[in-house]
Amino acid sequence: MNLYLALVAFILPLIRAQVPHWGPCPEPAVQPAFTLKQFMGRWFEIAKLPAQFEKGRCIETNFTLKPDNSIRVVSSEILKGELRKIEGIGVIEDLKNPAKLGISYSYVLPYSPYWILATDYVNSALVYSCTDVLRLFHVDFAWILSRTRTLPEATIEKAREIFANNNIDVTRMIASKQQGCEKTL
């Protein structure tokens, strides 16, 4: 038991900006009959659980289907007045459940879960990612995405309800800054 406590004491500072929870990851329902081609394109981040790797504003991701059915993923943000981009690769991890994607931004790191919980393809999407740490606790991420830089408040509240109904704690969810983006780019 002391080994577990020492491990947790070591790992928790590493994920301080993340949202750790005791126990394994929840298993939320994902978008039924998900169509990958319809999901492709530009998505803007409207709200998120805090993530250490997202510190800027005007965060967006563009998904492009490649000929081999993998996905080119280009995410960008403006941080300290500078446009920063990172490119990754996405895959459908289970062909029977195509809304469960995996994304990696490095050839040396494994794919991280990127599950589409709900989308209408033209307005909004809810995305969830979770990683277990020794089944003692998990670190999760959640995003509300939009095809435009804003969403009606009622849509955001409905999205938060969907996360909550899937045992995903979004009490620490914060709005993403999408103002003044066109002027800076």
Side-chain angles (χ1 to χ4, degrees):
M1 188 63 163
N2 287 340
L3 175 62
Y4 286 128
L5 290 176
L7 189 59
V8 168
F10 174 74
I11 292 174
L12 280 178
L14 298 177
I15 57 171
R16 69 182 184 281
Q18 312 325 124
V19 181
H21 301 281
W22 291 109
C25 290
E27 287 285 333
V30 295
Q31 173 79 23
F34 178 73
T35 306
L36 184 61
K37 284 183 182 178
Q38 286 184 275
F39 186 77
M40 296 296 97
R42 189 177 189 189
W43 289 96
F44 299 97
E45 182 184 276
I46 301 300
K48 66 183 171 195
L49 288 178
Q52 189 171 1
F53 52 86
E54 292 180 330
K55 297 178 182 174
R57 60 185 181 86
C58 305
I59 297 173
E60 62 181 81
T61 301
N62 199 338
F63 299 92
T64 307
L65 194 58
K66 295 169 65 169
D68 65 358
N69 282 329
S70 65
I71 306 157
R72 179 177 181 243
V73 182
V74 179
S75 295
S76 65
E77 68 179 349
I78 296 173
L79 184 62
K80 298 179 182 174
E82 182 180 321
L83 179 63
R84 297 182 182 210
K85 289 186 177 190
I86 186 169
E87 186 170 335
I89 191 84
V91 296
I92 294 175
E93 293 198 307
D94 178 1
L95 292 177
K96 294 177 187 168
N97 211 340
K100 289 186 175 183
L101 305 177
I103 293 181
S104 178
Y105 287 99
S106 168
Y107 293 108
V108 296
L109 295 175
Y111 290 101
S112 295
Y114 194 87
W115 293 3
I116 315 304
L117 303 192
T119 186
D120 64 1
Y121 304 103
V122 296
N123 295 303
S124 64
L126 310 184
V127 178
Y128 181 67
S129 181
C130 188
T131 302
D132 278 322
V133 178
L134 301 175
R135 307 218 21 105
L136 290 174
F137 65 94
H138 63 275
V139 178
D140 57 0
F141 306 93
W143 297 271
I144 300 172
L145 305 178
S146 174
R147 293 291 190 183
T148 61
R149 292 196 187 275
T150 61
L151 274 178
E153 192 58 40
T155 304
I156 295 169
E157 282 309 309
K158 177 68 175 159
R160 292 170 67 91
E161 285 176 26
I162 292 169
F163 283 124
N165 290 341
N166 279 283
N167 298 314
I168 299 165
D169 180 6
V170 290
T171 55
R172 292 182 56 198
M173 185 168 267
I174 56 174
S176 300
K177 294 179 179 123
Q178 290 288 349
Q179 298 81 22
C181 301
E182 304 307 329
K183 297 175 199 163
T184 315
L185 298 178

